[in-house]
């Protein structure tokens, strides 16, 4: 794997300009809005503020960038007041793998050391690392980028740069969700074939799930290595809520990675009285990282609370 020597890193001179992707406005027509420019100012440690506005950045030479739904949401402008760029044009991209060219500013490091808030890292200049975005996904799709070392770690030699960039967010979410799984749980995962889902199917097994069922467009792939679901169905052909075996032996956990399954589940239970997941009173859990609408528009913190917090509180009350 590519890794500069300590001597080449020490002699490194940051170019004044770099090649980077540039977005000129909100919208969905990428042919008009997206271009590759060769004269984008290179971000400089200690001088430039990351467009996502986080503290203590470090400088990477970018090897690979992964794009995700968050990038599309920023581009659309549907959350511009909360996730919009500080100005146009801006460089998109939030998840990245690259070579550390410079660690956080030494002056800031000295201040934190004196205050007792100094943070120690498991990586340094010359290491290949992966970092996920902080606050909002932007600033990575160029030759150089400022990233937060707080959400960054070294990449093992047997993991490619492309895989590392793709894993850094989706793998993190999968691990966090898997922490809710208990030994012997039966788990149903909607969106099992996506970035988070394909890792989650494997992570819940490592946590002790006794039975893992996946729902996606390619049921055959979900039962093959490395995902290895015990059962999988194509939701376009069969409704997971109507599978008799699952109604007879409900799941302990249902995880919705596609969005919108809670209203569908509640309506199905009202109509059939045959849930495929246990109620909370019997240990059942419904987990999701999405709003009830797969796509949403929000221009204030209050709007975000109405989309994410209030439905979750209602679900907790409703299922007791």
């Amino acid at each position: 794997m590519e890794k500069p020597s300590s001597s080449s890193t020490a002699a490194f001179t940051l170019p004044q300009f770099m090649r980077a992707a540039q977005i000129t406005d909100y919208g969905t027509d990428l042919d008009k809005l997206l271009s590759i420019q060769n004269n984008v100012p290179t971000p400089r440690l200690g001088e430039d503020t990351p467009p996502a506005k986080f503290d203590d950045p470090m400088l990477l030479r970018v090897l690979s960038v992964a794009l995700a739904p968050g990038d599309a949401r920023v581009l659309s402008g549907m959350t511009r007041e909360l996730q919009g760029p500080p100005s146009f044009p801006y460089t998109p991209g939030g998840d990245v793998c690259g070579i550390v060219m410079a660690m956080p500013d030494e002056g800031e490091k000295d201040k934190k050391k004196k205050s007792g808030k100094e943070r120690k890292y498991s990586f340094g200049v010359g290491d290949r690392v992966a970092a996920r975005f902080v606050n909002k996904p932007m600033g990575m799709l160029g030759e150089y980028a400022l990233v937060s070392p707080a959400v960054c770690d070294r990449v093992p030699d047997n993991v490619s740069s492309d895989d590392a960039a793709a894993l850094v967010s989706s793998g993190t979410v999968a691990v966090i969700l898997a922490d809710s799984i208990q030994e012997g749980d039966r788990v149903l995962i909607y969106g099992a074939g996506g970035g988070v889902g394909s890792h989650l199917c494997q992570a819940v097994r490592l946590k002790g799930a006794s039975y893992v069922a996946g729902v996606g467009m390619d049921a055959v792939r979900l039962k093959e290595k490395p995902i290895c679901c015990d059962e999988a169905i194509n939701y376009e052909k069969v409704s997971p809520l109507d599978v008799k075996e699952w109604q007879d032996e409900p799941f302990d956990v249902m995880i919705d990675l596609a969005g919108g399954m809670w209203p569908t589940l509640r309506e199905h239970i009202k109509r059939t009285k045959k849930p495929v997941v246990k109620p909370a009173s019997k240990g059942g859990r419904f987990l999701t990282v999405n709003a009830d609408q797969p796509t949403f528009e929000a221009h204030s913190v209050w709007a975000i609370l109405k989309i994410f917090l209030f439905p979750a509180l209602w679900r907790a009350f409703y299922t007791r």
Side-chain angles (χ1 to χ4, degrees), residues 212-271:
V212 180
V215 179
M217 293 186 66
D218 190 346
V220 174
R221 171 175 166 262
L222 295 181
K223 296 180 73 172
E224 295 175 341
K225 292 182 178 180
I227 301 177
C228 298
C229 289
D230 294 296
E231 188 56 80
I233 63 172
N234 181 340
Y235 63 86
E236 292 185 325
K237 297 180 179 180
V238 180
S239 169
L241 303 181
D242 291 327
V243 177
K244 187 177 185 305
E245 293 84 352
W246 298 349
Q247 293 175 346
D248 293 341
E249 191 175 358
F251 290 93
D252 299 285
V253 185
M254 176 186 289
I255 303 176
D256 177 20
L257 301 176
M261 278 311 303
W262 171 256
T264 303
L265 174 65
R266 193 174 69 168
E267 180 59 33
H268 186 274
I269 293 174
K270 284 183 179 179
R271 181 166 43 86

Side-chain angles (χ1 to χ4, degrees), residues 20-166:
Q22 294 283 274
I23 298 291
T24 57
D25 202 352
Y26 295 117
T28 57
D29 190 344
L30 289 180
D31 290 335
K32 293 182 178 180
L33 302 177
L34 175 65
S35 64
I36 305 299
Q37 301 294 327
N38 295 315
N39 60 347
V40 179
T42 305
R44 296 182 179 278
L45 204 62
E47 298 180 19
D48 297 323
T49 300
K53 296 183 179 179
F54 51 81
D55 296 327
D56 301 329
M58 68 181 189
L59 181 68
L60 289 192
R61 177 163 60 84
V62 175
L63 300 177
S64 185
V65 175
L67 302 179
D71 297 284
R73 186 166 55 249
V74 171
L75 176 61
S76 73
M78 295 177 71
T79 57
R80 66 183 68 189
E81 289 83 359
L82 303 170
Q83 291 186 305
S87 62
F88 288 102
Y90 78 95
T91 301
D95 298 331
V96 63
C97 176
I99 304 296
V100 178
M101 305 308 294
M103 292 296 288
D105 183 71
E106 289 298 320
E108 290 299 317
K109 184 177 179 181
D110 290 341
K111 290 179 184 178
K112 293 199 171 188
K113 187 174 183 179
K114 291 178 181 179
S115 66
K117 296 181 180 179
E118 183 185 14
R119 185 181 183 122
K120 295 183 179 180
Y121 303 108
S122 61
F123 49 84
V125 172
D127 285 326
R128 189 170 62 108
V129 299
R132 62 180 176 83
F133 72 86
V134 175
N135 299 333
K136 43 191 173 182
M138 57 187 62
M140 304 303 159
L141 205 53
E143 292 180 295
Y144 297 90
L146 296 176
V147 304
S148 171
V151 289
C152 177
D153 211 341
R154 187 180 303 176
V155 178
D157 289 341
N158 63 343
V159 177
S160 73
S161 296
D162 289 348
D163 286 348

